[in-house]
Amino acid sequence: MINSTLAKSLESIIGRDHVTVEPDLILDGLNPSLLIKPGSTGEVVECLRNCSEADAAVVPASFMTWLESGNPLRRADVVLSLERMARIIDYSPPDLTAVVEAGLTIGEFNAATRVENQWLPLDPPGSPTASLGAIAACASSGPLRLGFGTPRDYVIGLRLAHINGIESKSGGRVVKNVAGYDMNKLYVGSHGTLAVITELTVKLRPVAEADQTLLVTSASEDSLREIGRDLLASEAQPASVFFTKGISYGDSQAEGRSGLIARFVENEQAVKFQTNLLTRLVKSQGDAMTLNDDEANLIWRAIADCDRLSENSLRLNVPLSSTSIFLDKLLSETDRVVAADLGAGIIRVGFNAADEKVIEVIRRLRADAFASGGSLFVERAATVVRREADAWGEVGLTGALMRSIKERFDPKSLLNPGRFVSGI
Ligand SMILES: Cc1cc2nc3c(=O)[nH]c(=O)nc-3n(C[C@H](O)[C@H](O)[C@H](O)COP(=O)(O)OP(=O)(O)OC[C@H]3O[C@@H](n4cnc5c(N)ncnc54)[C@H](O)[C@@H]3O)c2cc1C
């Protein structure tokens, strides 16, 4: 039995308490029957070496909240969770940098840096309880993307454990440290298929003086979208501008209605100028409501986590010039949840339907997105749908390049096998 022998060798590395047999854990229809929780990079490296020698496929993880994502796994024998590795190793407020273990959640990290008036301005789905390792591995971003960018902009160094039992580092601890290839960019967004991220060095931003969210509602969806376009064309520099449909805003008066939501994060004066400008743009076309911090948090979390509202969720990435055409298409179907990042050209759409219908919708929308120079990613759907339709779709010549990189890093294909583009 591969697992009892392997379990014993893993126990000898990390202790019996941190190796559990999981007969009921199912991922993409597979049972990775061992769950292991190493406590240091050295232990991760040793565990990977043992798994590789036993030819066991490893699923890197943290809190295991988004493990059925991307393309379905081809094999899964061991889930390696970094949940125990959640320390801030070094934090240097004057340099605006920190070194953290990958199992730390973004919420805990930002609570610690807030004391110094600094933050990591990322708000991906699943935050604040998402781990920094997974956010980097999936390059996950949320509504703040327009104003603050993505994990690729903030990860300046990584410590990595490789499947062949070696450890490596990329980048460093100073903000401008890249000579030659920036290897961080290779690992960030590789969905745990190249290496396990054990530590990250991130750069931080100062917390702005003011952070204000406005919710605009109107009887006319067209008016909301037009106001959004006008705002983006104006001299304002919003951190987020979203058009949404079908998303509940908790107790606010706008429950369930379509809305335009904009966030401004700058100094007091600049935020005041921009909120006034938006109010002027709204004129008599709708109502603009300034939200308090709790209401704003609720709205932005609801938007980031909108994929939880439906069984299926798709993310379209389209050129800004095509956003309107795609929104027209998507909004014509009444029962859909839509969250459109008007400034970044990302439209997330959620709906419920039978698997065959979902596959057909994905193929149709993907062909349209592709024709306009965009792409479609399946954020959430049944395993059979992700297998048939492919979570990313055809990526052309890039697929061959990525396959050859995977072969170099993981020749036996043991790290998240099948999960990423082209089933690598
Ligand atoms: C409901 C929901 C919807 C989401 N939707 C999206 C989305 O649409 N787009 C998106 O980009 N992200 C999405 N995410 C992911 C999210 O932004 C975070 O990445 C995730 O929530 C982190 O959760 P976790 O720490 O439990 O990671 P896990 O669920 O444990 O892992 C998530 C993924 O990251 C890999 N991984 C985890 N840790 C490491 C590591 N240390 N090294 C290498 N690989 C690792 C795993 O193999 C897995 O592929 C979603 C998450 C949730 C819960």
Side-chain angles (χ1 to χ4, degrees):
M1 278 278 289
I2 176 177
N3 279 342
S4 65
T5 319
L6 181 59
K8 283 208 172 58
S9 66
L10 296 170
E11 279 173 11
S12 71
I13 302 165
I14 59 177
R16 288 183 73 165
D17 290 352
H18 305 305
V19 177
T20 47
V21 177
E22 297 281 337
D24 299 328
L25 177 59
I26 302 295
L27 295 178
D28 292 333
L30 305 167
N31 169 227
S33 50
L34 285 181
L35 170 62
I36 60 171
K37 298 183 179 174
S40 68
T41 298
E43 289 186 359
V44 176
V45 166
E46 279 310 305
C47 288
L48 289 180
R49 189 202 313 277
N50 278 259
C51 289
S52 174
E53 282 167 7
D55 198 35
V58 179
V59 179
S62 295
F63 299 101
M64 303 169 60
T65 56
W66 204 51
L67 288 187
E68 290 198 328
S69 58
N71 286 324
L73 293 164
R74 257 196 318 271
R75 290 179 58 201
D77 299 306
V78 177
V79 174
L80 184 150
S81 161
L82 271 65
E83 188 189 300
R84 290 173 58 222
M85 295 175 57
R87 287 177 310 145
I88 296 178
I89 295 168
D90 186 27
Y91 173 31
S92 173
D95 298 327
L96 286 117
T97 60
V99 184
V100 295
E101 286 185 323
L104 184 69
T105 67
I106 186 160
E108 285 165 327
F109 180 61
N110 275 337
T113 58
R114 187 95 202 178
V115 178
E116 298 288 343
N117 244 354
Q118 298 179 356
W119 68 320
L120 184 59
L122 300 171
D123 57 352
S127 54
T129 51
S131 68
L132 290 168
I135 291 171
C138 302
S140 306
S141 60
L144 283 171
R145 181 188 177 114
L146 173 67
F148 289 93
T150 72
R152 284 202 170 87
D153 302 309
Y154 293 93
V155 174
I156 57 172
L158 290 172
R159 189 170 177 192
L160 303 138
H162 297 268
I163 191 71
N164 55 0
I166 62 161
E167 182 193 321
S168 76
K169 282 189 173 176
S170 65
R173 290 172 69 159
V174 285
V175 172
K176 288 195 191 297
N177 62 9
V178 179
Y181 294 113
D182 181 358
M183 293 293 281
N184 297 319
K185 301 270 193 294
L186 185 65
Y187 296 109
V188 174
S190 63
H191 287 252
T193 54
L194 298 181
V196 177
I197 298 169
T198 61
E199 286 175 20
L200 307 89
T201 305
V202 291
K203 62 180 180 186
L204 297 161
R205 297 281 291 262
V207 173
E209 204 176 50
D211 185 340
Q212 191 70 71
T213 294
L214 262 70
L215 167 64
V216 183
T217 51
S218 164
S220 156
E221 287 178 350
D222 287 346
S223 299
L224 293 174
R225 288 162 55 188
E226 198 182 311
I227 296 164
R229 277 195 299 274
D230 289 349
L231 178 66
L232 286 161
S234 75
E235 67 244 75
Q237 293 199 313
S240 318
V241 184
F242 270 71
F243 169 83
T244 70
K245 181 186 169 188
I247 296 182
S248 258
Y249 302 135
D251 295 334
S252 91
Q253 297 162 28
E255 180 74 33
R257 289 170 63 189
S258 295
L260 178 83
I261 303 104
R263 182 170 178 181
F264 305 94
V265 185
E266 276 189 60
N267 63 50
E268 295 278 4
Q269 221 182 349
V271 167
K272 196 160 180 228
F273 170 80
Q274 294 177 86
T275 52
N276 285 340
L277 191 152
L278 175 56
T279 312
R280 281 201 304 278
L281 288 175
V282 174
K283 286 180 271 179
S284 55
Q285 298 180 80
D287 297 313
M289 207 187 319
T290 302
L291 304 186
N292 66 34
D293 288 353
D294 289 343
E295 289 169 331
N297 273 339
L298 204 74
I299 273 202
W300 292 119
R301 283 269 40 88
I303 291 174
D305 291 337
C306 67
D307 57 315
R308 295 180 198 209
L309 299 173
S310 323
E311 284 163 14
N312 307 284
S313 177
L314 314 177
R315 177 186 291 239
L316 288 116
N317 217 320
V318 294
L320 290 182
S321 52
S322 309
T323 320
S324 207
I325 300 165
F326 278 91
L327 269 177
D328 285 342
K329 268 187 215 171
L330 297 167
L331 292 170
S332 62
E333 313 237 355
T334 48
D335 53 347
R336 291 185 170 172
V337 172
V338 173
D341 184 335
L342 299 179
I346 295 172
I347 307 174
R348 297 170 78 201
V349 53
F351 58 102
N352 297 331
D355 291 345
E356 290 104 74
K357 172 77 180 159
V358 181
I359 294 168
E360 185 228 303
V361 171
I362 292 171
R363 290 193 173 137
R364 188 162 34 85
L365 282 176
R366 180 173 276 153
D368 291 348
F370 196 71
S372 77
S375 59
L376 180 153
F377 171 65
V378 182
E379 289 186 335
R380 174 190 287 274
T383 302
V384 62
V385 171
R386 287 179 287 118
R387 181 174 294 123
E388 284 298 310
D390 195 299
W392 281 271
E394 192 44 61
V395 293
L397 291 176
T398 319
L401 182 65
M402 293 172 87
R403 190 176 298 281
S404 70
I405 294 171
K406 170 76 172 171
E407 277 163 12
R408 285 290 179 89
F409 282 79
D410 180 15
K412 292 201 275 180
S413 194
L414 293 176
L415 277 178
N416 269 348
R419 158 126 321 150
F420 200 22
V421 284
S422 308
I424 59 173

mmCIF file of all heavy atoms in Angstrom, residues 262-293:
data_model
loop_
_atom_site.group_PDB
_atom_site.id
_atom_site.type_symbol
_atom_site.label_atom_id
_atom_site.label_comp_id
_atom_site.label_asym_id
_atom_site.label_seq_id
_atom_site.Cartn_x
_atom_site.Cartn_y
_atom_site.Cartn_z
ATOM 1 N N ALA A 262 -18.757 52.795 -6.855
ATOM 2 C CA ALA A 262 -17.420 53.350 -7.121
ATOM 3 C C ALA A 262 -16.714 53.608 -5.797
ATOM 4 O O ALA A 262 -17.334 53.987 -4.803
ATOM 5 C CB ALA A 262 -17.536 54.653 -7.904
ATOM 6 N N ARG A 263 -15.403 53.375 -5.803
ATOM 7 C CA ARG A 263 -14.608 53.558 -4.575
ATOM 8 C C ARG A 263 -13.442 54.495 -4.885
ATOM 9 O O ARG A 263 -12.781 54.362 -5.922
ATOM 10 C CB ARG A 263 -14.083 52.198 -4.114
ATOM 11 C CG ARG A 263 -13.274 52.235 -2.832
ATOM 12 C CD ARG A 263 -13.015 50.820 -2.353
ATOM 13 N NE ARG A 263 -12.195 50.786 -1.155
ATOM 14 C CZ ARG A 263 -11.812 49.669 -0.540
ATOM 15 N NH1 ARG A 263 -12.204 48.493 -1.008
ATOM 16 N NH2 ARG A 263 -11.057 49.718 0.542
ATOM 17 N N PHE A 264 -13.218 55.415 -3.975
ATOM 18 C CA PHE A 264 -12.128 56.379 -4.143
ATOM 19 C C PHE A 264 -11.213 56.275 -2.929
ATOM 20 O O PHE A 264 -11.672 56.370 -1.789
ATOM 21 C CB PHE A 264 -12.687 57.798 -4.261
ATOM 22 C CG PHE A 264 -13.703 57.929 -5.376
ATOM 23 C CD1 PHE A 264 -15.059 57.787 -5.123
ATOM 24 C CD2 PHE A 264 -13.293 58.152 -6.677
ATOM 25 C CE1 PHE A 264 -15.993 57.878 -6.139
ATOM 26 C CE2 PHE A 264 -14.216 58.251 -7.712
ATOM 27 C CZ PHE A 264 -15.574 58.113 -7.445
ATOM 28 N N VAL A 265 -9.935 56.078 -3.186
ATOM 29 C CA VAL A 265 -8.978 55.868 -2.081
ATOM 30 C C VAL A 265 -7.802 56.813 -2.303
ATOM 31 O O VAL A 265 -6.925 56.540 -3.118
ATOM 32 C CB VAL A 265 -8.490 54.394 -2.062
ATOM 33 C CG1 VAL A 265 -7.593 54.140 -0.856
ATOM 34 C CG2 VAL A 265 -9.647 53.406 -2.069
ATOM 35 N N GLU A 266 -7.816 57.954 -1.608
ATOM 36 C CA GLU A 266 -6.724 58.939 -1.773
ATOM 37 C C GLU A 266 -6.719 59.871 -0.568
ATOM 38 O O GLU A 266 -7.243 59.525 0.482
ATOM 39 C CB GLU A 266 -6.928 59.736 -3.061
ATOM 40 C CG GLU A 266 -6.380 59.023 -4.297
ATOM 41 C CD GLU A 266 -6.406 59.910 -5.498
ATOM 42 O OE1 GLU A 266 -5.756 60.971 -5.454
ATOM 43 O OE2 GLU A 266 -7.087 59.554 -6.480
ATOM 44 N N ASN A 267 -6.161 61.085 -0.754
ATOM 45 C CA ASN A 267 -6.246 62.027 0.359
ATOM 46 C C ASN A 267 -7.654 62.628 0.417
ATOM 47 O O ASN A 267 -8.420 62.547 -0.559
ATOM 48 C CB ASN A 267 -5.149 63.104 0.279
ATOM 49 C CG ASN A 267 -5.295 63.954 -0.976
ATOM 50 O OD1 ASN A 267 -6.390 64.447 -1.261
ATOM 51 N ND2 ASN A 267 -4.228 64.108 -1.726
ATOM 52 N N GLU A 268 -7.982 63.229 1.565
ATOM 53 C CA GLU A 268 -9.351 63.735 1.808
ATOM 54 C C GLU A 268 -9.857 64.616 0.667
ATOM 55 O O GLU A 268 -10.962 64.437 0.168
ATOM 56 C CB GLU A 268 -9.384 64.579 3.100
ATOM 57 C CG GLU A 268 -9.097 63.835 4.381
ATOM 58 C CD GLU A 268 -10.322 63.114 4.926
ATOM 59 O OE1 GLU A 268 -11.368 63.144 4.248
ATOM 60 O OE2 GLU A 268 -10.210 62.502 5.996
ATOM 61 N N GLN A 269 -8.970 65.549 0.270
ATOM 62 C CA GLN A 269 -9.377 66.535 -0.729
ATOM 63 C C GLN A 269 -9.681 65.882 -2.077
ATOM 64 O O GLN A 269 -10.698 66.174 -2.715
ATOM 65 C CB GLN A 269 -8.223 67.526 -0.902
ATOM 66 C CG GLN A 269 -8.698 68.938 -1.030
ATOM 67 C CD GLN A 269 -7.497 69.854 -1.257
ATOM 68 O OE1 GLN A 269 -6.337 69.453 -1.115
ATOM 69 N NE2 GLN A 269 -7.779 71.071 -1.632
ATOM 70 N N ALA A 270 -8.795 64.981 -2.478
ATOM 71 C CA ALA A 270 -8.973 64.318 -3.782
ATOM 72 C C ALA A 270 -10.233 63.456 -3.767
ATOM 73 O O ALA A 270 -10.983 63.413 -4.752
ATOM 74 C CB ALA A 270 -7.746 63.465 -4.094
ATOM 75 N N VAL A 271 -10.488 62.781 -2.646
ATOM 76 C CA VAL A 271 -11.675 61.933 -2.571
ATOM 77 C C VAL A 271 -12.936 62.795 -2.610
ATOM 78 O O VAL A 271 -13.904 62.476 -3.311
ATOM 79 C CB VAL A 271 -11.625 61.041 -1.299
ATOM 80 C CG1 VAL A 271 -12.972 60.389 -1.030
ATOM 81 C CG2 VAL A 271 -10.537 59.984 -1.447
ATOM 82 N N LYS A 272 -12.885 63.927 -1.899
ATOM 83 C CA LYS A 272 -14.054 64.820 -1.895
ATOM 84 C C LYS A 272 -14.348 65.320 -3.310
ATOM 85 O O LYS A 272 -15.489 65.317 -3.776
ATOM 86 C CB LYS A 272 -13.770 66.000 -0.963
ATOM 87 C CG LYS A 272 -15.002 66.743 -0.587
ATOM 88 C CD LYS A 272 -14.793 67.554 0.671
ATOM 89 C CE LYS A 272 -16.099 68.257 0.956
ATOM 90 N NZ LYS A 272 -15.986 69.627 1.245
ATOM 91 N N PHE A 273 -13.281 65.722 -4.007
ATOM 92 C CA PHE A 273 -13.434 66.221 -5.371
ATOM 93 C C PHE A 273 -14.082 65.140 -6.256
ATOM 94 O O PHE A 273 -15.006 65.413 -7.029
ATOM 95 C CB PHE A 273 -12.046 66.611 -5.924
ATOM 96 C CG PHE A 273 -12.050 66.906 -7.387
ATOM 97 C CD1 PHE A 273 -12.483 68.141 -7.862
ATOM 98 C CD2 PHE A 273 -11.635 65.944 -8.312
ATOM 99 C CE1 PHE A 273 -12.497 68.409 -9.225
ATOM 100 C CE2 PHE A 273 -11.649 66.199 -9.672
ATOM 101 C CZ PHE A 273 -12.077 67.443 -10.133
ATOM 102 N N GLN A 274 -13.611 63.912 -6.099
ATOM 103 C CA GLN A 274 -14.087 62.838 -6.981
ATOM 104 C C GLN A 274 -15.517 62.387 -6.642
ATOM 105 O O GLN A 274 -16.296 62.071 -7.530
ATOM 106 C CB GLN A 274 -13.128 61.655 -6.909
ATOM 107 C CG GLN A 274 -11.762 62.024 -7.481
ATOM 108 C CD GLN A 274 -10.768 60.890 -7.365
ATOM 109 O OE1 GLN A 274 -10.706 60.023 -8.218
ATOM 110 N NE2 GLN A 274 -9.999 60.869 -6.289
ATOM 111 N N THR A 275 -15.846 62.364 -5.351
ATOM 112 C CA THR A 275 -17.219 61.971 -5.008
ATOM 113 C C THR A 275 -18.203 63.053 -5.466
ATOM 114 O O THR A 275 -19.289 62.751 -5.954
ATOM 115 C CB THR A 275 -17.379 61.698 -3.497
ATOM 116 O OG1 THR A 275 -16.866 62.812 -2.774
ATOM 117 C CG2 THR A 275 -16.646 60.452 -3.066
ATOM 118 N N ASN A 276 -17.777 64.333 -5.366
ATOM 119 C CA ASN A 276 -18.639 65.413 -5.867
ATOM 120 C C ASN A 276 -18.827 65.279 -7.377
ATOM 121 O O ASN A 276 -19.916 65.480 -7.908
ATOM 122 C CB ASN A 276 -18.021 66.788 -5.569
ATOM 123 C CG ASN A 276 -18.175 67.133 -4.102
ATOM 124 O OD1 ASN A 276 -19.014 66.561 -3.417
ATOM 125 N ND2 ASN A 276 -17.350 68.055 -3.604
ATOM 126 N N LEU A 277 -17.717 64.952 -8.045
ATOM 127 C CA LEU A 277 -17.782 64.812 -9.497
ATOM 128 C C LEU A 277 -18.780 63.704 -9.878
ATOM 129 O O LEU A 277 -19.622 63.882 -10.760
ATOM 130 C CB LEU A 277 -16.378 64.472 -10.008
ATOM 131 C CG LEU A 277 -16.110 64.525 -11.502
ATOM 132 C CD1 LEU A 277 -14.632 64.854 -11.742
ATOM 133 C CD2 LEU A 277 -16.448 63.245 -12.203
ATOM 134 N N LEU A 278 -18.700 62.572 -9.166
ATOM 135 C CA LEU A 278 -19.628 61.466 -9.472
ATOM 136 C C LEU A 278 -21.069 61.902 -9.205
ATOM 137 O O LEU A 278 -21.966 61.632 -10.008
ATOM 138 C CB LEU A 278 -19.259 60.219 -8.646
ATOM 139 C CG LEU A 278 -20.221 59.034 -8.768
ATOM 140 C CD1 LEU A 278 -20.407 58.606 -10.232
ATOM 141 C CD2 LEU A 278 -19.724 57.824 -7.963
ATOM 142 N N THR A 279 -21.280 62.589 -8.100
ATOM 143 C CA THR A 279 -22.641 63.032 -7.785
ATOM 144 C C THR A 279 -23.173 63.938 -8.899
ATOM 145 O O THR A 279 -24.341 63.853 -9.290
ATOM 146 C CB THR A 279 -22.654 63.782 -6.429
ATOM 147 O OG1 THR A 279 -21.926 62.995 -5.495
ATOM 148 C CG2 THR A 279 -24.052 63.984 -5.907
ATOM 149 N N ARG A 280 -22.288 64.789 -9.424
ATOM 150 C CA ARG A 280 -22.716 65.668 -10.534
ATOM 151 C C ARG A 280 -23.047 64.842 -11.785
ATOM 152 O O ARG A 280 -23.994 65.131 -12.486
ATOM 153 C CB ARG A 280 -21.617 66.681 -10.864
ATOM 154 C CG ARG A 280 -21.558 67.864 -9.897
ATOM 155 C CD ARG A 280 -20.845 69.061 -10.513
ATOM 156 N NE ARG A 280 -19.509 68.743 -10.975
ATOM 157 C CZ ARG A 280 -18.419 68.692 -10.195
ATOM 158 N NH1 ARG A 280 -18.532 68.951 -8.903
ATOM 159 N NH2 ARG A 280 -17.238 68.377 -10.684
ATOM 160 N N LEU A 281 -22.261 63.799 -12.035
ATOM 161 C CA LEU A 281 -22.515 62.966 -13.218
ATOM 162 C C LEU A 281 -23.867 62.254 -13.117
ATOM 163 O O LEU A 281 -24.548 62.027 -14.115
ATOM 164 C CB LEU A 281 -21.412 61.917 -13.391
ATOM 165 C CG LEU A 281 -20.039 62.419 -13.851
ATOM 166 C CD1 LEU A 281 -19.030 61.271 -13.855
ATOM 167 C CD2 LEU A 281 -20.122 63.020 -15.242
ATOM 168 N N VAL A 282 -24.231 61.900 -11.885
ATOM 169 C CA VAL A 282 -25.496 61.173 -11.698
ATOM 170 C C VAL A 282 -26.680 62.087 -12.039
ATOM 171 O O VAL A 282 -27.665 61.658 -12.631
ATOM 172 C CB VAL A 282 -25.614 60.643 -10.245
ATOM 173 C CG1 VAL A 282 -26.978 60.021 -9.999
ATOM 174 C CG2 VAL A 282 -24.504 59.634 -9.945
ATOM 175 N N LYS A 283 -26.552 63.358 -11.714
ATOM 176 C CA LYS A 283 -27.611 64.377 -11.942
ATOM 177 C C LYS A 283 -28.970 63.817 -11.550
ATOM 178 O O LYS A 283 -29.156 63.333 -10.446
ATOM 179 C CB LYS A 283 -27.605 64.819 -13.407
ATOM 180 C CG LYS A 283 -26.443 65.735 -13.759
ATOM 181 C CD LYS A 283 -26.493 66.143 -15.210
ATOM 182 C CE LYS A 283 -25.743 65.132 -16.026
ATOM 183 N NZ LYS A 283 -25.623 65.217 -17.384
ATOM 184 N N SER A 284 -29.899 63.832 -12.509
ATOM 185 C CA SER A 284 -31.234 63.346 -12.162
ATOM 186 C C SER A 284 -31.452 61.912 -12.657
ATOM 187 O O SER A 284 -32.560 61.403 -12.650
ATOM 188 C CB SER A 284 -32.266 64.267 -12.805
ATOM 189 O OG SER A 284 -31.986 64.315 -14.185
ATOM 190 N N GLN A 285 -30.346 61.278 -13.074
ATOM 191 C CA GLN A 285 -30.519 59.930 -13.660
ATOM 192 C C GLN A 285 -30.645 58.839 -12.605
ATOM 193 O O GLN A 285 -30.885 57.684 -12.938
ATOM 194 C CB GLN A 285 -29.318 59.596 -14.535
ATOM 195 C CG GLN A 285 -29.144 60.529 -15.714
ATOM 196 C CD GLN A 285 -27.924 60.110 -16.522
ATOM 197 O OE1 GLN A 285 -28.001 59.186 -17.316
ATOM 198 N NE2 GLN A 285 -26.813 60.766 -16.283
ATOM 199 N N GLY A 286 -30.410 59.161 -11.350
ATOM 200 C CA GLY A 286 -30.483 58.129 -10.309
ATOM 201 C C GLY A 286 -30.195 58.734 -8.954
ATOM 202 O O GLY A 286 -30.168 59.959 -8.790
ATOM 203 N N ASP A 287 -29.968 57.854 -7.981
ATOM 204 C CA ASP A 287 -29.651 58.314 -6.622
ATOM 205 C C ASP A 287 -28.256 57.865 -6.242
ATOM 206 O O ASP A 287 -27.923 56.682 -6.396
ATOM 207 C CB ASP A 287 -30.614 57.693 -5.606
ATOM 208 C CG ASP A 287 -32.031 58.144 -5.873
ATOM 209 O OD1 ASP A 287 -32.222 59.353 -6.067
ATOM 210 O OD2 ASP A 287 -32.908 57.260 -5.911
ATOM 211 N N ALA A 288 -27.467 58.782 -5.713
ATOM 212 C CA ALA A 288 -26.118 58.417 -5.249
ATOM 213 C C ALA A 288 -26.124 58.409 -3.724
ATOM 214 O O ALA A 288 -26.565 59.372 -3.095
ATOM 215 C CB ALA A 288 -25.094 59.414 -5.758
ATOM 216 N N MET A 289 -25.662 57.323 -3.148
ATOM 217 C CA MET A 289 -25.665 57.173 -1.699
ATOM 218 C C MET A 289 -24.218 56.972 -1.220
ATOM 219 O O MET A 289 -23.502 56.118 -1.752
ATOM 220 C CB MET A 289 -26.456 55.899 -1.377
ATOM 221 C CG MET A 289 -27.123 55.877 -0.039
ATOM 222 S SD MET A 289 -27.836 54.231 0.273
ATOM 223 C CE MET A 289 -28.536 53.720 -1.243
ATOM 224 N N THR A 290 -23.812 57.774 -0.241
ATOM 225 C CA THR A 290 -22.470 57.572 0.329
ATOM 226 C C THR A 290 -22.579 56.521 1.422
ATOM 227 O O THR A 290 -23.430 56.625 2.309
ATOM 228 C CB THR A 290 -21.960 58.902 0.930
ATOM 229 O OG1 THR A 290 -21.960 59.868 -0.117
ATOM 230 C CG2 THR A 290 -20.552 58.752 1.472
ATOM 231 N N LEU A 291 -21.737 55.501 1.364
ATOM 232 C CA LEU A 291 -21.854 54.385 2.311
ATOM 233 C C LEU A 291 -20.910 54.570 3.494
ATOM 234 O O LEU A 291 -19.810 55.119 3.333
ATOM 235 C CB LEU A 291 -21.514 53.073 1.609
ATOM 236 C CG LEU A 291 -22.340 52.744 0.356
ATOM 237 C CD1 LEU A 291 -21.995 51.355 -0.152
ATOM 238 C CD2 LEU A 291 -23.841 52.818 0.646
ATOM 239 N N ASN A 292 -21.337 54.088 4.651
ATOM 240 C CA ASN A 292 -20.397 54.079 5.778
ATOM 241 C C ASN A 292 -19.453 52.876 5.619
ATOM 242 O O ASN A 292 -19.652 52.030 4.733
ATOM 243 C CB ASN A 292 -21.131 54.082 7.125
ATOM 244 C CG ASN A 292 -21.931 52.813 7.360
ATOM 245 O OD1 ASN A 292 -21.522 51.730 6.938
ATOM 246 N ND2 ASN A 292 -23.074 52.949 8.027
ATOM 247 N N ASP A 293 -18.438 52.770 6.458
ATOM 248 C CA ASP A 293 -17.410 51.737 6.279
ATOM 249 C C ASP A 293 -17.990 50.319 6.283
ATOM 250 O O ASP A 293 -17.596 49.478 5.478
ATOM 251 C CB ASP A 293 -16.333 51.848 7.373
ATOM 252 C CG ASP A 293 -15.457 53.075 7.154
ATOM 253 O OD1 ASP A 293 -15.604 53.725 6.100
ATOM 254 O OD2 ASP A 293 -14.641 53.373 8.043
#
